[in-house]
Amino acid sequence: MMSQVYIGTFDAGAAEVKFDSKRITFMLGKPTPGSNSYVYAHLAVTALKRFEVDKDRGTLCMWGMWDLHFADELNGAYMPFLSHMDAEASIFMQFNKADFPRSSWPSDILKVHPKFAQLIHFTSGHMGRPLAAHAPTAAKKPAPKPKAPSSQGGRQQKAAVSGGAGSSSGDMQQTLTGGRYTPLALQPSGDSNRVVLVYPDEQAKDAVTLTDEELQRLVENEYLNDTLVDYKLKQIQASLSPALLERCHFFNSFFFKRLMQSIGGNKRLKDPAAIAEGYKAVQRWTKSVDLFAKDFVFVPINDGEASVEEEAASAQGAVGGVTAPQFDDDDAVVNPPSTDVTTTRRADQLSPAALLPAAARPGREPCIMYLDSMGGSKQKAFHLLKIYLDLERKDKEAKGTAGKPLKVEGAGSVDLTAEVHEYRGEFDKMPEYDIEVPHQNNSVDCGLYMLQFVSRVAHEQPDLAGARKRRWEEAECQGGGKLGLKDLSPHDITEMRSDMYMTIKALGEEQQAKKKVKAEGKAEGAPSVAAGVADGKRKRSKKINDEDDDEC
Amino acid sequence: MADEESKQGEEAKPNTMQLKVVSQDGTEVFFKCKPDTKLEKLMRAFCQRQGVAMESVRFLFDGNRIRENQTPNELEMEDGDSIDVVVAQVGGTPTTR
C-alpha cells in the first residue's frame, strides 16, 4: 500500500529529517515522553524509489519502503500508516524555512549519496504522486494529509489515512506536543528460524547465520544475542581499512566464556593447573593469528547468568550477563556489562601516572582496558585475560610463532607447576584501565554499547605511545573523549539497532536475490552438479546409522 | 584437508574420521563421520542425544561457528579434532532474564 503523509512545518523542530549515506531518517525531534527513545522511521537509501524536491516551497517527497520497526511509538493518530510495516510509502515534508535555508539544502542532500542525485526530481508546485503513476498531479502543498492507496496517489487529500485517524497538520502538531503515543505492536513473524542472512556469505568459514529471531531482537527493548554480536563484530571488521584491520584482532562472543568455563569457573581462577588446562580449550582459536603482533585485541565479555542455563561459572551475584568491552594495546578486551549498577570510576583512579612506570615506553606498552556500560566487575576480566596472554605467549613461543616479547615493567615469571596461589606472569603488571564510559540507562542495551565501544575504538585506534597516549588516557578517563565515546548517547544506540536491522535485511535480500539467480542458472546449466548432489545425499542418509556412536 | 587419510584412528576406515563434540560441562561425545558429510547430521544427532534444541546452541570449531551445511573437509578438520558446543548467549542483566 502506498500512502503519503504530510509532515508539516513545525515550530519547534518537532520533526526532522536526516540524510546520511545509508538512509533517510525521519524523526520527531524530541524523545518520546516517558522514555529516552526517539521516534523514527527510516528509509534505506537502497530502498529509495523516487525523490522530489521543490526548492521554492521547501518541500520534498520521498518514496520507498520505510522501515518502521523502530517506530514503536510512532503510530497513533497522526501517523497511522506506520502501522503497516513493509508498506511502501511516500513521505512528503515541508521544511521549516528557518531550519533549512533554501539555498543549500537540496545540494547538501545530494552530496550525501549518489543515489539521491540519480533519483532526484526537481519539481515545482506539487509533489506526492504515487510511484506507479508518474503523471504529475496537482497536489499542493500545505495540505496535510496522508494518503491514499495506490491508485490515487497523487493528491494529498484530506482523507484520513488508512488506519482511520484523519489528521490535519493541526492535529498532528497537537499530537506531537501532547505526547499521545501508543506503542506499535510488532507483527509476529512466523518462523523465527527462517534464515535471513548468512554473513558474510555462505562460503565463508566462520559465517554467522542470522534468522528472524535476530531481527526481532533488534527491536527496542530486546536483548541482543551472540549471533548479533558476532555478526556486528564481523561487520565492524569489514568496515575497517586493511591497515586498521591488520592491527586488530577480534575475539567472538564465546571466547571469554569458553575460557572461563574450561578453567572451571571463578573458584579455580587461582589454580595454575586448572588454568593451564582451561587454556587448551581456546588454544587453537588463535592458530592463525599472532595476538602479539596486534595493537588491539578485543574481547567481548558476556559474563554472568543472563544466558539461560549457564553453568556456575561466573556467579558473582552482581555480574550480569553482558558484554563489556575492554581492550588494550596489545590486547583488548571487550567486556560487557553486567549489572545495571552504575559504578562510576573516577578519573584519578585511572591516572596513567599512577599505573605506568614513568620511564620507558619507547615501544608499545601493553595495557588492558575494560569498557563496561554497566559498570560491572572487571577484576576477573583483568585477571583472566592476563593469564590468557601469558599462556598464549608461551604457547606461541613454543611453536616459534610469537612476535617479539612485550615488555611489561616488573613482570614476574610463571611457574605453572609451582603451588602458587597467585598467578604471576609476564603480563601481571600490565596496567589496567577501567575506562569510564557512558552507562546505559536500561538493562537491555549492553550488547549495543559494547559494539559501539568496539567500533569506535577500532576505527579510532588511539595511539598509545608517548604524549598522545597520555592525552588520550586523560581524555578517555574523563569520559571517552578521544575515542568518541563521550558523546555516545542512547540515541546512537537506538540508531545502531535500526541500522543493524536495516543492513541485515538489505544484505539478506541481496543474498536471496543472488541465490535465486544462481539457482536459475544452475537449473538449466548443470545437470551433472545436481546429480552429484543427489548422490551425495543418498550416501549420507545411509550413514546415519553408524555415524554417531557416542561413547560416553 | 583431512582426506589424505592415512589417519589410523583405531577403527577409522579410510575416509572416516572421528570427531569429538565437547559441551560446556566437559561432556564429550564422539562421532564418526565422513569428511564430506555435512555437519548438520552430527549437530542434529548431538542435539537429539542431549535433548537440546538446535537453535539454543552453537557449534564451534577452533572458535569459528560451524554451519550446518559445511563438511569436515571444508573446515579442514582432521581425525580426532574437537568441536565445541556452547549455549547461545543473550546479553542483558541477570535480573531480567
Side-chain angles (χ1 to χ4, degrees), chain B residues 5-18:
Chain B
E5 301 295 332
S6 40
K7 315 279 174 201
Q8 13 242 354
E10 352 325 73
E11 66 258 54
K13 302 167 190 153
N15 238 8
T16 303
M17 65 198 315
Q18 182 164 279

Side-chain angles (χ1 to χ4, degrees), chain A residues 373-410:
Chain A
S373 61
M374 296 177 102
S377 142
K378 70 226 179 245
Q379 287 316 322
K380 183 167 64 177
F382 285 151
H383 181 63
L384 187 53
L385 289 166
K386 285 178 172 186
I387 293 172
Y388 169 76
L389 284 175
D390 199 52
L391 293 168
E392 174 73 3
R393 144 83 62 206
K394 287 184 166 27
D395 181 58
K396 286 282 153 95
E397 265 169 8
K399 294 184 175 128
T401 51
K404 63 176 179 4
L406 299 169
K407 283 280 174 280
V408 179
E409 294 292 317

Side-chain angles (χ1 to χ4, degrees), chain A residues 479-500:
Chain A
K482 184 72 165 76
L483 290 184
L485 296 178
K486 200 196 297 200
D487 57 355
L488 181 59
S489 70
H491 185 127
D492 294 318
I493 296 300
T494 309
E495 198 165 271
M496 190 178 198
R497 280 183 182 270
S498 54
D499 189 43
M500 286 174 70

Side-chain angles (χ1 to χ4, degrees), chain A residues 100-269:
Chain A
F100 294 87
R102 291 250 179 93
S103 53
S104 72
W105 68 265
S107 48
D108 288 347
I109 294 168
L110 294 181
K111 275 187 245 153
V112 173
H113 194 284
K115 182 144 185 194
F116 292 127
Q118 288 160 22
L119 293 176
I120 197 162
H121 292 80
F122 289 98
T123 62
S124 70
H126 47 60
M127 342 179 146
R129 285 163 284 136
L131 196 51
H134 270 230
T137 1
K140 343 89 314 4
K141 32 93 117 310
K145 277 10 186 127
K147 189 302 178 229
S150 31
S151 59
Q152 1 192 129
R155 348 206 210 82
Q156 320 189 252
Q157 354 192 262
K158 299 229 143 152
V161 180
S162 56
S167 38
S168 66
S169 62
D171 289 345
M172 282 188 258
Q173 222 160 327
Q174 242 177 356
T175 311
L176 289 169
T177 44
R180 275 165 41 230
Y181 299 98
T182 40
L184 174 75
L186 279 177
Q187 305 199 332
S189 76
D191 178 8
S192 67
N193 290 326
R194 186 182 67 96
V195 173
V196 173
L197 170 69
V198 178
Y199 187 86
D201 59 59
E202 313 229 358
Q203 281 70 48
K205 250 188 193 172
D206 188 25
V208 175
T209 304
L210 297 136
T211 65
D212 273 334
E213 182 196 335
E214 274 75 43
L215 282 185
Q216 286 158 18
R217 287 186 176 281
L218 285 170
V219 169
E220 263 175 88
N221 294 324
E222 290 290 329
Y223 297 90
L224 297 200
N225 65 7
D226 54 281
T227 300
L228 283 165
V229 167
D230 287 342
Y231 153 77
K232 188 62 191 177
L233 288 171
K234 281 176 183 299
Q235 222 223 354
I236 290 169
Q237 293 172 62
S239 72
L240 292 172
S241 69
L244 289 182
L245 181 59
E246 171 71 26
R247 301 172 64 195
C248 298
H249 179 69
F250 299 78
F251 279 109
N252 66 19
S253 59
F254 295 109
F255 172 78
F256 188 85
K257 176 152 275 173
R258 186 84 188 101
L259 180 60
M260 193 69 192
Q261 283 175 336
S262 54
I263 285 173
N266 276 341
K267 27 188 188 350
R268 303 187 65 196
L269 269 182

